[in-house]
Amino acid sequence: MKELHLLILVISLMTLSSFEAYAQPKECPELNGLQETLLNDKKVVLAALKTLIPKIYKFGDYPNIYSERNVFTAVPFPMTVGKKEEVLVKMIDREEIASDGEITLKEAINIGLQRAKEWNVNATLTSVNSVDETMRGSRGGTGKRFNWFMIFIVPGTDDYVLIGISEKKITVFRPSKQSPSPTIPYNEIKLDSADVLQLAKDKYGLKPGKDWATGYHFTLDSIDGMPILTVYGNDRDNRFTRISFNARNGEVVSAIHKLPYGGGLISKHIGIDNLTKKGMAITGIVAGNNNLVVWGDKNPTQFSITKQPFIEWSHNNGESWTELQVNNYVTHAWFDMNDQLYAATEKELWAGITAKSKGTKILSLDHTIENVDYSINNHIAVISNEKVYYSTNQGESWEQAIVPKPFYVVQISDNGDLVGFTEEKKILQKTNDGWNEITMPNSYDEPLDMKVINNRLFITTQSGIWIRDLQEGNWRKIKVDEVVVKLIKKGEKLFGYTHRGEAIYSINTKDERRPEKVFDAIDSIVWDVDIMGDTLWIATIPDYSWEEMKIP
């Protein structure tokens, strides 16, 4: 069980028959927030405390610490100084208190087994797993969850039934056919989910899962003839962790967690690769005339690269870095022709960011910014909630355009033309009459990605890269040694990378020269790329692999 948190409440005796209780937060609460009750009435005292504590700690730096806890016990201390009496109050996390609708793995099996036997008297269990939800409760902290799925088969046949349970009631009952799976005799399940959770906490310090799920999760399978009960959570460093036990006796069968490898900022100069910011998730890199900017997450996990966001710039080609102050995590950044830095966060655009200033907010939206583009002369376009917001005066004013279909990418030309790439892989150009589809010159070529530079449209396909002049409408094509699946635009520079970012090509945007391979990403996951002078900069993020855990 999680360590109980202690809080001392000082109770001031107002009179012999009543008192006021208060818990001291960072700043003193208002007097009208105190709860008056009778000294000799234990039930009233506890009720008062349960009402008081969430109110008092509703505000401040840590509003969730106490509002998310319940009063466990309240014990009077002897008289101390003057007319004050102290009460020791034990408070327990809500996650340690199961809601009425939550059940353990074995309790779920009992409910499912009864229904399965009604379906077929020979029904036998093959697997169980908990299902994620956001219904509060303990979220697995007691070994209990609201939702469970399980499969029963009829041995010797291909009959099986999937049963879903939510809040102790069967909500899914789906018979079907499948190849037989190994069965789990009920009498071999000696341990329950609560038991293995406690073992995992005691031996490995297992913590609740975050990002990939809410809290702890549980599975039961038959592996090599053994009933294996597994609990999922995070290790002490918040890495995805899986600990498996033999359900017959509680022996540890496997304890593994996902550890990162790779990630960081790679610079390639005269054929020599150098890695800095090792282990970080570098999600963006952009080069200006004199400055270099990178952004990402300093401490990423497999399921999140926004936990410890940062953005930094360098005036000396990456020899030293200065952190910039930007609200929220940065999703995109660029320099205009005057080397002024712009950045996009989740719902905002900022301009004029420096080491001394976070700049000026030029756009704030109610919904997430899904995609951003800018032209050479700094026209700007963004996608948010199936609308395109665009500006042709560097963000001083904005116009809106409703898109006919969901866009994956939006681009804006130097002339202010808007071009969208839909989720159905159609390319649409905005005109006075609405959005018109741009038809590929070869009907067999399906667009994989597209970018607009100056007033030219670049489209990568399986057969090569097509280029179209947006004004004249003529097409030409350049060949690439490999299929480029993604395009990266950096001002007038264009890059492309192949499947899984295995190779990066530099694509000439002014003539039809064959694209040049500039980097082989052997063990790197490439996220972004740019060139400054004669140095190629590659932003990479970590990959993850299962590794054995050591008992602390």
Side-chain angles (χ1 to χ4, degrees):
M1 174 164 298
K2 184 177 262 187
E3 180 182 352
L4 295 177
H5 298 264
L6 303 181
L7 175 68
I8 294 182
L9 298 176
V10 181
I11 300 178
S12 300
L13 290 173
M14 299 294 291
T15 66
L16 292 177
S17 59
S18 67
F19 67 86
E20 289 183 336
Y22 60 94
Q24 185 65 48
K26 187 175 181 180
E27 295 182 359
C28 293
E30 297 292 332
L31 290 177
N32 57 15
L34 303 181
Q35 185 78 19
E36 186 172 314
T37 186
L38 298 177
L39 179 64
N40 58 357
D41 192 333
K42 177 182 175 182
K43 292 182 179 180
V44 177
V45 170
L46 289 176
L49 291 173
K50 291 179 180 180
T51 303
L52 168 70
I53 290 165
K55 285 184 178 180
I56 296 296
Y57 286 92
K58 183 178 180 180
F59 305 100
D61 294 336
Y62 308 101
N64 295 325
I65 291 180
Y66 293 107
S67 63
E68 289 294 314
R69 288 165 166 74
N70 290 341
V71 175
F72 188 56
T73 60
V75 182
F77 276 6
M79 277 289 193
T80 53
V81 180
K83 293 185 177 181
K84 290 187 176 180
E85 185 175 301
E86 293 181 344
V87 171
L88 178 67
V89 178
K90 286 186 177 180
M91 304 181 70
I92 187 170
D93 282 357
R94 281 185 183 170
E95 72 170 29
E96 303 294 343
I97 303 174
S99 297
D100 290 341
E102 291 185 297
I103 52 178
T104 66
L105 180 139
K106 288 188 72 172
E107 289 170 340
I109 292 173
N110 291 337
I111 295 172
L113 181 61
Q114 181 178 350
R115 180 66 183 89
K117 291 293 187 182
E118 294 173 1
W119 167 68
N120 190 302
V121 69
N122 295 317
T124 307
L125 181 69
T126 65
S127 67
V128 185
N129 64 273
S130 58
V131 181
D132 202 41
E133 34 70 24
T134 55
M135 299 164 62
R136 304 293 293 175
S138 71
R139 293 180 178 173
T142 57
K144 299 183 177 184
R145 301 285 319 200
F146 285 106
N147 298 339
W148 298 85
F149 272 110
M150 59 198 68
I151 294 177
F152 294 88
I153 68 167
V154 179
T157 75
D158 59 358
D159 293 331
Y160 87 95
V161 61
L162 173 68
I163 293 178
I165 297 171
S166 181
E167 298 186 85
K168 301 182 182 179
K169 297 180 180 179
I170 293 177
T171 54
V172 175
F173 185 82
R174 194 177 301 155
S176 189
K177 304 282 186 181
Q178 74 169 22
S179 301
S181 301
T183 60
I184 305 171
Y186 181 83
N187 60 5
E188 290 192 3
I189 311 171
K190 303 298 184 183
L191 274 72
D192 204 347
S193 47
D195 302 318
V196 296
L197 174 61
Q198 193 60 52
L199 290 172
K201 286 182 177 181
D202 292 344
K203 289 191 175 186
Y204 297 96
L206 191 68
K207 297 164 57 178
K210 293 181 180 179
D211 302 321
W212 59 270
T214 59
Y216 301 96
H217 277 281
F218 311 91
T219 62
L220 177 66
D221 299 280
S222 178
I223 300 176
D224 296 331
M226 283 191 299
I228 303 300
L229 183 47
T230 301
V231 54
Y232 296 81
N234 284 4
D235 64 13
R236 287 183 170 88
D237 296 316
N238 289 319
R239 291 165 178 156
F240 185 41
T241 301
R242 184 178 76 194
I243 303 174
S244 300
F245 299 86
N246 186 334
R248 296 170 184 157
N249 51 31
E251 290 182 356
V252 176
V253 175
S254 171
I256 55 179
H257 54 175
K258 280 284 186 79
L259 296 184
Y261 64 91
L265 182 63
I266 300 172
S267 59
K268 183 176 181 180
H269 178 67
I270 318 178
I272 299 174
D273 294 355
N274 182 46
L275 175 65
T276 57
K277 301 187 182 298
K278 185 176 180 180
M280 296 185 188
I282 309 299
T283 56
I285 174 82
V286 63
N289 296 325
N290 303 301
N291 302 310
L292 191 68
V293 171
V294 296
W295 61 94
D297 191 318
K298 292 183 177 179
N299 190 25
T301 66
Q302 184 185 7
F303 300 97
S304 175
I305 52 176
T306 61
K307 290 298 182 184
Q308 197 174 341
F310 75 95
I311 179 170
E312 297 175 347
W313 75 358
S314 172
H315 298 292
N316 50 18
N317 203 34
E319 291 184 16
S320 62
W321 296 90
T322 301
E323 189 156 358
L324 304 177
Q325 300 303 313
V326 177
N327 293 337
N328 213 321
Y329 61 90
V330 172
T331 60
H332 200 87
W334 71 95
F335 288 101
D336 66 9
M337 291 183 294
N338 299 318
D339 231 23
Q340 181 174 230
L341 179 61
Y342 288 71
T345 61
E346 183 182 12
K347 297 179 181 179
E348 298 172 344
L349 290 184
W350 292 78
I353 301 167
T354 68
K356 297 180 180 180
S357 170
K358 66 179 181 181
T360 302
K361 188 192 308 181
I362 60 173
L363 181 66
S364 180
L365 300 175
D366 294 331
H367 300 277
T368 300
I369 294 174
E370 301 158 20
N371 183 248
V372 182
D373 186 49
Y374 62 96
S375 65
I376 303 303
N377 55 359
N378 210 34
H379 297 335
I380 307 169
V382 304
I383 302 173
S384 179
N385 194 35
E386 298 187 357
K387 293 180 181 177
V388 173
Y389 299 82
Y390 60 101
S391 172
T392 55
N393 53 17
Q394 303 194 52
E396 290 184 14
S397 61
W398 295 84
E399 296 183 62
Q400 293 184 33
I402 298 176
V403 300
K405 297 179 180 180
F407 278 3
Y408 172 64
V409 172
V410 68
Q411 295 283 286
I412 189 166
S413 74
D414 286 354
N415 291 336
D417 297 312
L418 291 173
V419 182
F421 185 33
T422 74
E423 294 179 357
E424 299 172 349
K425 297 190 175 182
K426 304 293 184 183
I427 296 176
L428 306 180
Q429 182 175 0
K430 188 178 183 303
T431 66
N432 293 332
D433 299 326
W435 294 88
N436 295 332
E437 183 176 349
I438 295 177
T439 305
M440 295 293 296
N442 187 334
S443 59
Y444 296 101
D445 267 343
E446 182 180 71
L448 300 175
D449 196 12
M450 68 92 178
K451 291 289 182 284
V452 171
I453 296 179
N454 292 316
N455 294 305
R456 287 174 295 172
L457 173 63
F458 294 80
I459 304 171
T460 182
T461 69
Q462 290 282 343
S463 66
I465 297 174
W466 288 94
I467 305 171
R468 174 186 171 95
D469 189 297
L470 290 174
Q471 303 302 312
E472 299 176 5
N474 57 308
W475 292 90
R476 55 193 179 90
K477 187 179 183 180
I478 55 177
K479 294 284 187 179
V480 188
D481 293 335
E482 301 176 73
V483 176
V484 170
V485 299
K486 182 74 174 176
L487 296 172
I488 300 174
K489 181 174 81 171
K490 298 292 178 176
E492 290 189 291
K493 296 169 287 187
L494 185 63
F495 302 91
Y497 61 74
T498 61
H499 180 65
R500 292 180 56 84
E502 293 170 354
I504 299 174
Y505 283 82
S506 176
I507 303 164
N508 193 297
T509 61
K510 296 180 180 179
D511 56 43
E512 298 181 22
R513 279 182 292 174
R514 203 178 193 90
E516 176 189 1
K517 184 187 289 189
V518 293
F519 186 73
D520 271 312
I522 301 173
D523 294 319
S524 303
I525 301 178
V526 174
W527 216 250
D528 202 5
V529 62
D530 203 348
I531 288 178
M532 187 173 186
D534 55 1
T535 302
L536 178 70
W537 294 89
I538 303 106
T540 70
I541 65 171
D543 202 353
Y544 295 82
S545 64
W546 286 110
E547 302 289 345
E548 292 290 333
M549 295 182 69
K550 297 180 180 178
I551 298 178

